């Protein structure tokens, strides 16, 4: 369970508008929350504040009822994992070792006994078992994204109920098949008791995966609720400044597989 | 296909499915092999460093000297010369070379990991240049201040003035760096790197100015010193190097895992529970101490810190749990051998060891760059 209370983040540029203004947001264990909104709306900033990476200027973030600032870094890493937008490595590592990095916070805890199972299962679940020995740098953008997904899964393997998974545009480089795979995996993780928050641009994906959708615009949470209640034409037109219409004659992937 | 790993369904609390060595997350099984190989290489290099040289020492002589030193058997008269060569000159020299090589290679590995840049090395940040500037200043002004402290009649103060100055200079640059590279309590790696490049240039310019001011004898001292040499190695330096070169390098070893996490970037490492600010501080300070003390002991010895970590990565992969100890062992071995070459190739004269390492290191590094386009 994660909750942001009156979260505000100022821009590092003096005099610029705040990146986030008074955002109240919560995600419970077992829930998938999708964040959508225009470029520059503050979605990634919100994820960074929720991960503890960015210290908010105002307000606070509580994970399992405890302010993020009070979490020792390794304990925090056993309770929340982050999948970033694009990750390139400074040195060549095989995909399997990248996934195994997810087990670093479990070092010296009883959870270490699960390391081997966690890495294997995460790679199966993310569909990257066949890439295990490949050097990360030789993988395509989508394959890298799946390896990072596996790394995040390995990190939360064995985590206590209510752990948090944050994903920033996790489907951005994925083909339709793997988009469906990742989104179904996200739903499965929520069923296992995780809280999942992900930034998406594809409204159909948001509607498919999310229990609730939050819309950010200019640093404010302007709407939040069940997908059907939030993803309405007049709301989207207001937020994105363009018209939305139902598709005729197009094809959308069946994300449910 | 996946090493026999079968996920337990829903398995949050499932035990590890199979006993045996952990190939995915723990230390790779080859770690012991890498360390054994490196240890063997170092032992061979040190043995060669002790036995070979312009004045050859026999293995029998080495054995007799060791037995005598251990108090097990008195030294036979025919080995007195061997014992003198070994005990007075070669043993401290080989030990210093090994510690220095290990320290430079460890600092290079850590700098490359910290800056996420395969071209980083301890010299890049200006730490060596700062130490060199202070040493050159000691050579130029030391005479005026202490009068005749250098040369054959040098007292303890003169003997230690230069290394102490070099060490202080290296640490002063490090202090300046950490001030310049930190804003609002957060150390910015690009800012640190660029500040280091600027400080490097500044120290180089000031060193040039001092060389311009120096008289001819001083200029020759300076040139010789900046080229790097272990010719001055004696026993009193060994415990100092143990504390200030080898110990900080050994203390870098536990940083291997957090440095592995840093390949994902600073935010990625933080997400994995690494205290990134602390990691940066500890890595820079320990590397700086080992490099500054190394420069103090032997002048500027280039390319060990840059090339050795790449050699180890090429052979064993980029996992710092292997690269860091492997680089220390290889760096130690290579500097012992480079020093052996330095005193042998132009005997009875001595080549500066920094010339040997750069002569071998630079072309090798160019070859490496051509061969591995993906390196940088």
């Amino acid at each position: 369970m994660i909750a942001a209370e009156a979260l505000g983040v100022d821009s590092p540029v003096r005099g610029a508008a705040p990146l986030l203004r008074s955002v109240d947001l919560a995600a419970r264990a077992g829930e998938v929350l999708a964040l959508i909104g225009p470029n520059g709306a503050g979605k990634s900033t919100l994820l960074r504040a929720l991960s503890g990476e960015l210290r908010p200027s105002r307000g606070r973030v509580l994970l399992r009822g405890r302010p993020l600032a009070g979490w020792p870094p390794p304990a925090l890493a056993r309770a929340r994992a982050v999948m970033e937008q694009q990750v390139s490595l400074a040195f060549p590592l095989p995909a399997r070792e990248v996934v195994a990095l997810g087990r670093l916070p479990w070092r010296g805890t009883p959870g270490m006994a699960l390391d081997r199972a966690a890495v294997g299962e995460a790679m199966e679940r993310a569909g990257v078992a066949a890439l295990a020995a490949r050097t990360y740098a030789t993988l395509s953008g989508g394959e890298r994204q799946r390896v990072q997904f596996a790394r995040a899964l390995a990190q939360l393997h064995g985590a206590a109920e209510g752990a948090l998974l944050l994903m920033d545009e996790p489907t951005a480089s994925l083909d339709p098949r793997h988009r469906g795979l990742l989104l179904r995996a996200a739903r499965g993780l929520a069923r296992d008791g995780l809280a999942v928050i992900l930034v998406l641009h594809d409204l159909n994906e948001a509607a498919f995966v999310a229990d609730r959708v939050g819309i950010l615009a200019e640093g404010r949470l302007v709407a939040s609720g069940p997908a059907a209640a939030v993803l309405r034409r007049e709301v989207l037109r207001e937020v994105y400044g363009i018209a939305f219409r139902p598709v005729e004659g197009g094809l959308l992937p069946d994300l449910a597989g | 296909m996946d090493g026999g790993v079968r996920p337990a369904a829903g398995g949050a609390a499932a035990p590890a499915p199979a006993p045996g060595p952990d190939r995915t997350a723990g230390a790779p099984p080859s770690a012991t092999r890498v360390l054994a190989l490196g240890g063997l290489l170092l032992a061979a290099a040190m043995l060669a460093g002790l036995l070979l040289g312009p004045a050859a020492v026999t293995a029998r002589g080495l054995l007799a000297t060791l037995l005598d030193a251990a108090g097990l058997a008195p030294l036979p008269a025919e080995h007195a010369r061997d014992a003198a060569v070994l005990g007075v000159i070669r043993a401290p020299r080989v030990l210093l070379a090994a510690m220095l090589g290990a320290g430079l290679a460890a600092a290079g590995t850590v700098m490359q990991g910290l800056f996420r840049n395969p071209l980083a090395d301890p010299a890049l940040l200006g730490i060596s240049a700062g130490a060199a500037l202070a040493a050159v200043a000691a050579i130029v002004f030391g005479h005026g201040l202490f009068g005749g402290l250098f040369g054959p009649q040098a007292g303890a103060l003169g003997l230690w003035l230069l290394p102490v100055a070099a060490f202080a200079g290296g640490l002063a640059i490090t202090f300046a760096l950490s001030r310049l590279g930190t804003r609002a309590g957060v150390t910015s790696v690009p800012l640190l790197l660029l500040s280091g490049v600027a400080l490097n240039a500044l120290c180089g310019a000031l060193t040039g100015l001092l060389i311009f001011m120096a008289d001819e004898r001083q200029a020759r001292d300076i040139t010789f010193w900046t080229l790097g040499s272990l010719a001055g190695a004696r026993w009193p330096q060994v415990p100092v190097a143990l504390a200030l070169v080898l110990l900080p390098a050994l203390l870098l070893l536990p940083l291997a895992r957090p440095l592995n996490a840093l390949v994902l970037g600073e935010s990625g490492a933080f997400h994995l529970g690494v205290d990134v600010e602390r990691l940066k501080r500890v890595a820079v300070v320990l590397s700086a101490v080992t490099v500054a003390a190394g420069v103090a002991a032997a002048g500027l010895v280039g390319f060990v810190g840059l090339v050795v970590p790449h050699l180890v990565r090429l052979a064993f992969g980029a996992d710092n749990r292997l690269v860091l100890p492997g680089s220390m062992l290889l760096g130690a071995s290579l500097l012992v051998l480079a020093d052996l070459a330095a005193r042998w190739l132009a005997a009875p004269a001595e080549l500066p060891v920094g010339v040997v390492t750069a002569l071998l290191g630079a072309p090798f590094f160019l070859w490496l760059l051509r061969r591995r386009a993906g390196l940088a």
Side-chain angles (χ1 to χ4, degrees):
Chain A
M1 157 86 189
I2 180 124
E5 296 174 349
L7 202 61
V9 174
D10 289 332
S11 166
V13 181
R14 200 179 291 267
L19 301 175
L20 287 180
R21 309 181 211 215
S22 193
V23 172
D24 286 291
L25 186 89
R28 291 182 308 277
E31 188 176 42
V32 177
L33 170 66
L35 295 173
I36 65 169
N39 296 144
K43 302 183 295 295
S44 297
T45 304
L46 179 54
L47 277 199
R48 289 179 64 208
L50 293 176
S51 77
E53 181 192 337
L54 185 70
R55 197 174 284 262
S57 315
R58 284 167 301 283
R60 59 178 188 166
V61 179
L62 302 168
L63 180 63
R64 289 191 189 134
R66 193 161 144 207
L68 278 189
W71 284 78
L76 183 57
R78 291 191 293 271
R80 72 93 183 84
V82 184
M83 179 180 164
E84 294 181 275
Q85 268 189 39
Q86 276 160 2
V87 180
S88 57
L89 300 192
F91 292 97
L93 283 181
R96 181 201 295 278
E97 281 186 46
V98 176
V99 177
L101 283 176
R103 298 307 294 173
L104 187 69
W106 295 91
R107 205 175 148 63
T109 73
M112 248 176 106
L114 300 173
D115 282 359
R116 187 185 157 100
V119 171
E121 186 180 328
M123 296 191 79
E124 293 278 352
R125 236 171 150 167
V128 293
L131 305 176
R134 290 270 304 278
T135 301
Y136 184 83
T138 66
L139 300 177
S140 76
E143 289 169 332
R144 289 183 196 187
Q145 220 160 6
R146 283 152 51 201
V147 169
Q148 290 299 337
F149 182 55
R151 201 261 309 144
L153 291 182
Q155 188 177 342
L156 292 181
H157 187 110
E161 170 108 359
L164 174 67
L165 176 59
L166 300 168
M167 299 194 276
D168 199 351
E169 298 187 29
T171 58
S173 308
L174 300 187
D175 60 51
R177 182 168 91 88
H178 285 105
R179 285 179 183 229
L181 191 98
L182 185 136
L183 294 175
R184 289 196 301 280
R187 286 241 47 101
L189 291 168
R191 262 198 311 278
D192 291 351
L194 259 65
V196 179
I197 301 181
L198 70 180
V199 169
L200 291 172
H201 277 302
D202 188 312
L203 305 178
N204 295 296
E205 290 179 3
F208 167 75
V209 74
D211 296 299
R212 285 191 304 124
V213 174
I215 305 186
L216 277 172
E218 293 173 1
R220 286 196 177 85
L221 190 67
V222 294
S224 139
V230 172
L231 297 175
R232 285 178 302 138
R233 290 167 82 166
E234 61 273 22
V235 175
L236 297 174
R237 185 191 179 101
E238 177 72 24
V239 169
Y240 289 101
I242 57 161
F244 285 77
R245 60 179 174 79
V247 213
E248 298 137 27
L251 286 174
L252 286 177
D254 181 2
L255 295 170
Chain B
M1 112 123 269
D2 207 4
V5 174
R6 280 286 152 263
D22 187 339
R23 288 180 156 272
T24 48
S30 57
T32 30
R33 201 151 42 100
V34 173
L35 296 184
L37 213 67
L40 223 59
L41 180 66
L42 179 57
M46 290 179 81
L47 199 62
L50 286 172
L51 293 180
L52 304 178
V57 171
T58 60
R60 202 182 289 265
L62 175 62
L63 189 66
T65 309
L66 286 176
L67 288 175
D68 177 47
L72 293 174
L75 190 72
E78 75 259 34
H79 295 309
R81 194 194 61 100
D82 283 359
V85 169
L86 286 171
V88 179
I89 301 166
R90 285 206 192 144
R93 186 163 179 163
V94 165
L95 284 173
L96 267 182
M99 289 194 278
L100 188 62
L104 287 173
T109 308
V110 168
M111 290 287 125
Q112 287 166 12
L114 189 66
F115 293 111
R116 308 183 75 231
N117 185 335
L119 294 180
D121 97 321
L124 191 71
L125 283 184
I127 296 165
S128 313
L133 172 61
V136 168
I139 291 173
V140 174
F141 299 125
H143 266 287
L145 287 177
F146 300 100
L149 282 173
F150 292 101
Q153 70 276 45
L157 189 56
L159 186 69
W160 290 101
L161 174 65
L162 208 147
V164 168
F167 186 61
L171 290 194
I173 287 293
T174 310
F175 180 71
L177 258 181
S178 58
R179 294 296 295 270
L180 289 167
T182 305
R183 261 187 214 155
V186 177
T187 304
S188 153
V189 161
L191 198 59
L192 200 63
L193 201 59
L194 291 172
S195 306
V197 171
L199 286 175
N200 208 348
L202 182 65
C203 290
L206 289 173
T207 303
L209 192 64
L210 287 177
I211 292 174
F212 174 75
M213 289 163 61
D215 63 36
E216 244 165 69
R217 220 198 91 198
Q218 291 167 345
R220 190 181 152 66
D221 281 355
I222 290 168
T223 310
F224 195 74
W225 188 83
T226 52
L227 291 175
S229 171
L230 285 154
R234 295 294 180 271
W235 281 111
Q237 292 148 352
V238 171
V240 180
L242 205 63
L244 295 179
V245 178
L246 190 61
L247 182 66
L250 290 172
L251 290 176
L252 286 170
L253 286 173
L255 301 188
R257 276 170 204 278
L259 281 174
N260 278 351
L262 209 57
V263 298
L264 296 172
E266 282 190 36
S267 55
F270 170 75
H271 295 150
L272 288 171
V274 174
D275 186 340
V276 179
E277 288 308 311
R278 186 176 168 275
L279 171 64
K280 286 187 276 194
R281 274 198 311 271
V282 172
V284 167
V285 167
L286 288 176
S287 306
V289 170
T290 193
V291 170
V295 175
L300 299 178
V301 178
F303 278 95
V304 176
L306 179 64
V307 174
V308 168
H310 285 298
L311 279 173
V312 179
R313 279 192 206 98
L314 271 182
F316 302 110
D319 185 340
N320 283 304
R321 287 172 297 175
L322 294 180
V323 178
L324 202 44
S327 294
M328 287 178 69
L329 290 169
L330 185 62
S333 310
L334 288 186
L335 199 57
V336 168
L337 293 177
D339 183 52
L340 173 60
R343 57 190 151 90
W344 212 1
L345 289 180
E350 277 206 20
L351 283 173
V353 70
V355 171
V356 176
T357 57
L359 264 179
L360 298 175
F364 175 78
F365 194 67
L366 288 173
W367 172 79
L368 205 65
L369 286 177
R370 301 276 313 171
R371 193 168 157 259
R372 303 261 303 180
L375 196 71

